[in-house]
Amino acid sequence: MAPQTRRMAFPQVVIERDTDSERSSSDDEDDFDQEENGPQSESEAEGEVTENGSRGKNEEDMDSKEQRKAPITISLKKVCKVCKKPGHEAGFKGATYIDCPMKPCFLCKMPGHTTMTCPHRVATQYGVVPAPQRNTHNALEYVFQRQLRTRLPPIKPAYVIPDRVCCAVIRYHSRRVTCLEFHPTKNNILLSGDKKGQVGVWDFDKVHEKMVYTNIHTCIVNNMRFNPSNDGMVYAASSDGTISCTDMETGISSSLMNLNPDGWQGPSSWRMLYGMDVNSEKNVVLVADNFGFLYMVDMRSNNKSGEAVLIHKKGSKVVGLHCNPLHPELLLSCGNDHFARIWDMRQLKAGSSLGDLLHKRVVNCAYFSPLSGSKILTTSQDNRLRVWDCIFGNLDSPSREIVHSHDFNRHLTPFRAEWDPKDPSESLAVIGRYISENYNGAALHPIDFIDISTGQLVAEVMDPNITTISPVNKLHPRDDILATGSSRSLFIWKPKEKSEVVEQKDEGKIIICGSTEKKFKRKFGDGSDDSGGDDDGFKSKGKNFKLTKSRSKSAHCPRKVKR
DNA sequence: ATCCGATGGCTCC
DNA sequence: TGGAGCCCCTCGGA
């Protein structure tokens, strides 16, 4: 197979097909056949495995006869760890993952090919299902076209992609990061929540200062929002069943609501809060739980307002809530019942949704577009982003489906495609990628920038030192900055040219937190490892860590991935 | 180096 | 409807 290049605008990274993969079958023969009796056919090998697997009552007799005849030869023929059949083997060959050919494509879920040859991987816009031509000219759509569409400039501006890590805190959290939120007015403050319930307040202009509040929640922080009338206060919804309201300066926190006042009575009664948003027009915090219910808390009185409303299938998790930025009466919810739903806040009762957007799998998140609020973008575990171009039009099917790898659901924070809040054309979204690519010998998981109006991959950003998956990403509301939560670490990305011109005092710093500092010092290179000669040194208060820039074609990766 | 476990959703019965 | 068992690229700690 000829090497294939991925179609992309920026950065230019040539993906070389790992030649190991192409000779994998011959490798199998060479590496795994331990027989001394010469070559053996596939069927014989299979028979041998079967025999080993079904050793019955006569096994001792057979063994003794064979012992007398000839020395025992044990076949070490390996079987595929996925389908348990011999002849092929799924797993990493170097930094390239070889799929089991017996399974449907891991990326697009269609049978007949593997991820390696999936057309969506070779050219990502291949899988975009275009918007159907509809003739639905209703009055609402007419109003929308006249009043709202005119606010959007007809020509898309050039995208600015933050693609260089300018600072990072390694192991800032003690468990994996679950959510991020930029401060609404202070440009350099990033909030992060983790699986343990801790909330970090990171000033990425003062990288060395670590501030993590540990007493706010007892388990997963699922969503955070700032109080729109007091940006020193932040609300957080947690799987401990509480909404917290915390003063960012002091860390003093109060609980607005507790769904488990009697403590742990078993998993069937424990309520967890997932989706959350604030509606500043109506002065309420909206939260939803793992049993399908929506709750509202008045922000002025801090009292629960009204009764809980069943908005998704009873007993299913409601993972996302989003208030429309322009129409305060519109609410969008999504959950594990495979639906995203549009609601009228004035008529909130079970079964009265304005629209039900069906997905094939769990919906990780659903967001209105950030400026006009007239589009919807959802991330579903069926490896597809879905776009509805106009919420006032026909909602029966999405305008576009974009195949994208983000379906791993266990042990990882769910991936969420996030709008770029600065993009006036409302077409740029960012989302981490689950599947890895072989970038010059390292298996890296890029963060993708996708033009959701075309399905085209605008950019994939990665850094050779970030070998973990980055499911949590958020774009800055005003600056060209991307924040990433990857495992327990936080990263701040800026555009290359910009960060080279505007050097801030702590720019380019990496701080390693926690008890495993020595281990990470080795990993990131303190002179003792073979990380190559031309890395950029990042000096930070008496320590000297190295972090290589994201490179384009000449990218090299100091740390080979061993699997 | 290797193993293990925390975990969530899905399918099958 | 509910429980058992399964699962395909994790990640970090013992």
Side-chain angles (χ1 to χ4, degrees):
Chain A
M1 195 194 294
Q4 287 166 307
T5 51
R6 193 183 178 84
R7 201 177 176 286
M8 71 193 75
F10 183 88
Q12 287 274 310
V13 178
V14 177
I15 299 171
E16 293 170 355
R17 288 277 179 254
D18 194 334
T19 48
D20 285 352
S21 64
E22 280 136 37
R23 53 182 173 85
S24 59
S25 55
S26 57
D27 278 357
D28 285 347
E29 298 295 326
D30 296 342
D31 297 347
F32 306 132
D33 276 353
Q34 302 292 314
E35 280 83 9
E36 294 162 35
N37 303 333
Q40 191 181 27
S41 77
E42 214 68 280
S43 57
E44 280 174 314
E46 208 167 336
E48 199 156 354
V49 169
T50 314
E51 190 185 47
N52 287 345
S54 60
R55 289 165 73 88
K57 54 185 177 179
N58 295 328
E59 64 177 279
E60 279 176 27
D61 292 344
M62 286 165 71
D63 279 355
S64 58
K65 278 175 197 167
E66 276 177 25
Q67 247 171 351
R68 266 178 266 125
K69 277 192 214 164
I72 300 170
T73 57
I74 301 165
S75 171
L76 294 177
K77 187 86 182 175
K78 291 200 174 176
V79 295
C80 172
K81 66 176 179 184
V82 176
C83 68
K84 312 288 187 284
K85 290 197 172 76
H88 64 273
E89 207 186 352
F92 273 100
K93 290 260 180 205
T96 305
Y97 190 88
I98 308 299
D99 266 352
C100 172
M102 311 301 281
K103 294 275 181 175
C105 173
F106 184 46
L107 175 56
C108 73
K109 313 296 179 196
M110 304 300 282
H113 64 270
T114 63
T115 313
M116 182 65 79
T117 53
C118 178
H120 306 292
R121 181 162 175 158
V122 175
T124 52
Q125 67 273 50
Y126 178 93
V128 178
V129 179
Q133 295 298 316
R134 296 197 189 100
N135 292 314
T136 50
H137 297 299
N138 59 35
L140 269 173
E141 200 165 354
Y142 179 76
V143 171
F144 164 75
Q145 294 292 349
R146 284 205 38 149
Q147 295 186 359
L148 296 176
R149 189 69 89 186
T150 51
R151 296 185 185 196
L152 303 176
I155 298 170
K156 270 192 232 174
Y159 297 128
V160 181
I161 307 296
D163 58 347
R164 174 186 179 256
V165 173
C166 73
C167 57
V169 273
I170 308 299
R171 302 207 173 188
Y172 192 72
H173 283 271
S174 57
R175 293 288 183 275
R176 62 165 208 253
V177 174
T178 53
C179 56
L180 294 175
E181 195 75 10
F182 280 104
H183 194 282
T185 54
K186 293 175 182 167
N187 282 350
N188 46 330
I189 302 289
L190 177 70
L191 255 61
S192 51
D194 74 15
K195 189 170 163 282
K196 205 180 180 184
Q198 303 185 342
V199 175
V201 185
W202 182 32
D203 182 340
F204 49 86
D205 275 353
K206 299 171 189 162
V207 179
H208 304 92
E209 292 172 19
K210 182 181 179 179
M211 179 67 80
V212 176
Y213 296 123
T214 58
N215 299 323
I216 300 174
H217 290 288
T218 55
C219 60
I220 313 177
V221 181
N222 290 304
N223 274 295
M224 293 182 293
R225 293 286 185 279
F226 278 89
N227 184 331
S229 54
N230 177 1
D231 62 22
M233 303 296 279
V234 68
Y235 298 108
S238 163
S239 290
D240 63 12
T242 66
I243 314 172
S244 62
C245 181
T246 307
D247 186 314
M248 285 293 88
E249 291 297 319
T250 62
I252 294 169
S253 177
S254 61
S255 180
L256 265 65
M257 193 171 82
N258 183 4
L259 291 184
N260 303 300
D262 302 326
W264 178 258
Q265 306 284 323
S268 58
S269 63
W270 185 260
R271 288 181 180 267
M272 301 185 264
L273 290 173
Y274 282 85
M276 182 186 68
D277 202 5
V278 294
N279 189 322
S280 49
E281 296 278 331
K282 299 185 183 301
N283 269 301
V284 288
V285 180
L286 300 122
V287 278
D289 70 5
N290 57 328
F291 288 91
F293 285 91
L294 171 79
Y295 306 80
M296 282 186 276
V297 178
D298 190 288
M299 282 191 281
R300 290 160 300 190
S301 65
N302 284 354
N303 286 327
K304 208 169 136 185
S305 106
E307 288 301 305
V309 184
L310 184 70
I311 57 169
H312 280 267
K313 186 181 171 185
K314 198 169 187 180
S316 75
K317 206 188 273 180
V318 183
V319 291
L321 290 177
H322 189 217
C323 297
N324 192 293
L326 226 60
H327 309 277
E329 70 280 2
L330 286 183
L331 172 71
L332 181 60
S333 66
C334 64
N336 280 23
D337 63 352
H338 301 188
F339 276 103
R341 293 203 161 102
I342 306 170
W343 301 87
D344 187 333
M345 294 274 291
R346 296 163 298 190
Q347 294 178 4
L348 268 177
K349 58 182 183 206
S352 70
S353 59
L354 300 177
D356 299 324
L357 315 178
L358 179 61
H359 295 66
K360 287 201 180 73
R361 296 274 167 160
V362 167
V363 190
N364 290 349
C365 67
Y367 295 118
F368 289 115
S369 54
L371 302 174
S372 73
S374 64
K375 300 181 187 181
I376 287 176
L377 171 63
T378 67
T379 307
S380 172
Q381 300 227 8
D382 65 352
N383 264 357
R384 275 147 181 87
L385 306 177
R386 286 178 177 78
V387 186
W388 282 263
D389 281 334
C390 177
I391 55 171
F392 304 106
N394 181 357
L395 296 173
D396 291 345
S397 61
S399 308
R400 240 159 279 104
E401 287 185 5
I402 303 164
V403 174
H404 180 264
S405 169
H406 53 252
D407 68 334
F408 197 63
N409 54 13
R410 205 169 46 155
H411 316 307
L412 278 181
T413 305
F415 290 83
R416 296 175 181 177
E418 303 273 352
W419 295 96
D420 181 358
K422 304 176 294 297
D423 172 23
S425 67
E426 297 189 318
S427 55
L428 189 63
V430 66
I431 180 168
R433 196 192 303 172
Y434 169 51
I435 204 163
S436 68
E437 296 273 9
N438 180 353
Y439 294 98
N440 292 339
L444 301 178
H445 307 265
I447 299 157
D448 292 329
F449 286 78
I450 295 172
D451 183 334
I452 55 97
S453 66
T454 63
Q456 191 165 13
L457 183 68
V458 175
E460 45 181 3
V461 306
M462 81 291 288
D463 187 287
N465 285 304
I466 307 174
T467 55
T468 47
I469 294 169
S470 307
V472 193
N473 295 285
K474 209 114 190 187
L475 288 160
H476 198 282
R478 291 166 299 279
D479 294 336
D480 293 322
I481 285 176
L482 166 69
T484 292
S486 186
S487 187
R488 294 155 54 174
S489 308
L490 301 176
F491 300 89
I492 291 289
W493 308 71
K494 290 185 183 178
K496 266 196 195 84
E497 60 276 16
K498 190 169 179 177
S499 52
E500 275 157 19
V501 174
V502 188
E503 285 289 335
Q504 300 205 356
K505 71 177 163 90
D506 263 345
E507 187 99 347
K509 294 293 192 299
I510 285 196
I511 303 299
I512 298 169
C513 304
S515 58
T516 47
E517 187 170 314
K518 277 183 189 170
K519 187 177 164 185
F520 262 77
K521 209 169 166 183
R522 272 203 307 279
K523 176 178 170 180
F524 278 83
D526 61 350
S528 63
D529 100 350
D530 57 344
S531 53
D534 59 344
D535 293 338
D536 304 305
F538 286 81
K539 294 190 176 69
S540 59
K541 280 189 181 169
K543 299 175 185 124
N544 185 3
F545 303 121
K546 287 176 183 174
L547 176 69
T548 47
K549 280 185 193 176
S550 293
R551 287 182 172 80
S552 53
K553 281 181 180 171
S554 62
H556 84 287
C557 301
R559 192 168 149 271
K560 297 271 181 184
V561 173
K562 292 172 194 164
R563 297 271 175 178

